[in-house]
Amino acid sequence: MKVESRLFVLGAALMSLNALAYLVLTGEEAGSILLTLSFVALLIVGAYLALLARRHGPRPQDRPDPEPDDEDTEVGYFPSSSIWPFVGACGVVVLAVGLVFGVWLTLFGGLLVGTATLGLALEANAKA
């Protein structure tokens, strides 16, 4: 995952230059803050991928001399069909509508999203 990590860190570096140039050229603070947050998000992903690369070692894709049999490992867990993503999506919609119509609807949407997240996590834990 070294290549992916380097790509995200390079993107973060470019985004920091972009944020600085935007601030200097326009003087607008809101856009500069958003570009800086994009820099932070890219840097977090790059750091996480670098941590994974260090923890798990090189993958066959990362080595210069891979063999076809190197990737014959278990792929992992794929979730089966579930109702929880639909419940979570409905919760996000109710939460967004609640921002317009009132706090009580926002709380209900947040409750739906939390329930869906917990349900999906417990279902994945039981099947894995």
Side-chain angles (χ1 to χ4, degrees):
M1 292 186 208
K2 287 184 179 182
V3 174
E4 293 91 344
S5 171
R6 290 178 185 158
L7 283 174
F8 275 97
V9 170
L10 178 65
L14 291 175
M15 192 59 68
S16 69
L17 293 175
N18 193 9
L20 183 64
Y22 187 83
L23 180 64
V24 169
L25 293 176
T26 66
E28 183 190 9
E29 296 172 359
S32 299
I33 289 172
L34 291 174
L35 289 170
T36 303
L37 289 176
S38 298
F39 156 73
V40 171
L42 287 169
L43 194 62
I44 288 171
V45 172
Y48 177 70
L49 289 174
L51 179 71
L52 283 180
R54 188 174 305 144
R55 186 180 302 164
H56 295 292
R59 298 177 302 171
Q61 297 92 325
D62 296 333
R63 295 194 328 245
D65 58 345
E67 294 292 324
D69 292 336
D70 289 344
E71 191 82 38
D72 287 338
T73 60
E74 182 179 334
V75 175
Y77 165 71
F78 292 98
S80 59
S81 61
S82 174
I83 191 68
W84 295 117
F86 177 73
V87 173
C90 289
V92 168
V93 169
V94 170
L95 193 140
V97 169
L99 293 174
V100 175
F101 290 111
V103 177
W104 61 273
L105 203 52
T106 304
L107 293 174
F108 181 66
L111 182 68
L112 273 176
V113 170
T115 303
T117 304
L118 182 65
L120 193 59
L122 290 175
E123 184 178 271
N125 191 24
K127 291 182 179 179

